[in-house]
Amino acid sequence: MRALIPLTLILALMTGCTTTTAQNAATLGTLAGATLGALTFKNKVSGAAIGAGTGLLVGYIVGNEMEKYDAYDERQITNTLETMPSGQASQWTNPDTRMHHQAIPQPARRYDDGRIERDVTLRARMPSGEMETVYAKAYRQPDGTWQLVQ
């Protein structure tokens, strides 16, 4: 039980910080691993510690891979919003996921408060072959990047 107290404190402190996908996945992996370890080992404390360590490692690896995919597609969408004329499709294939994507930006709107917004249609061909379409809004941030809102 004493081993779980520091783990709980670390997790509680981490929740107040801005986290990445890898960190969130590592946190979930730690909690799931500790639970499974405590339930399956005869020595509950040792099982929880071993499970937490294993879950942390696996969760971080999975989350890190997910971030790579997100970052690549995010760069492509940002490039589309910056460079493509309205109504013209931009297409790419993510080299890691091998998923085919398409983004079609609409005309930008500038509001009185200086905010710039652009609608964009995002399409992705799933590994199963079926198409998924998402209609989103993108807002230009003060640093020049675009933030998508669904």
Side-chain angles (χ1 to χ4, degrees), residues 26-145:
T27 301
L28 290 173
T30 301
L31 293 172
T35 302
L36 286 173
L39 292 173
T40 56
F41 280 68
K42 286 184 182 182
N43 184 335
K44 304 295 183 205
V45 174
S46 295
I50 291 169
T54 304
L56 173 72
L57 180 62
V58 171
Y60 184 80
I61 290 169
V62 169
N64 192 42
E65 289 302 310
M66 289 170 61
E67 270 181 10
K68 288 180 190 175
Y69 303 147
D70 293 344
Y72 182 84
D73 294 331
E74 188 176 311
R75 282 193 307 272
Q76 297 301 319
I77 293 168
T78 296
N79 185 53
T80 297
L81 291 167
E82 283 295 320
T83 63
M84 295 301 288
S86 299
Q88 188 172 338
S90 170
Q91 299 181 15
W92 69 93
T93 301
N94 186 313
D96 295 319
T97 63
R98 302 220 186 272
M99 287 179 58
H100 180 74
H101 298 273
Q102 180 183 60
I104 305 169
Q106 299 305 313
R109 293 179 296 282
R110 182 180 298 270
Y111 294 95
D112 292 338
D113 62 2
R115 186 173 41 120
I116 299 173
E117 172 187 288
R118 204 167 185 195
D119 292 331
V120 61
T121 301
L122 303 169
R123 293 190 177 114
R125 182 173 305 283
M126 300 310 206
S128 65
E130 102 185 50
M131 290 291 288
E132 183 175 310
T133 302
V134 174
Y135 301 98
K137 292 188 181 304
Y139 296 95
R140 185 186 297 278
Q141 301 299 301
D143 66 359
T145 60

Side-chain angles (χ1 to χ4, degrees), residues 3-21:
L4 291 178
I5 293 172
L7 175 64
T8 304
L9 288 174
I10 290 170
L11 291 175
L13 291 173
M14 283 177 53
T15 59
C17 304
T18 302
T19 59
T20 64
T21 303

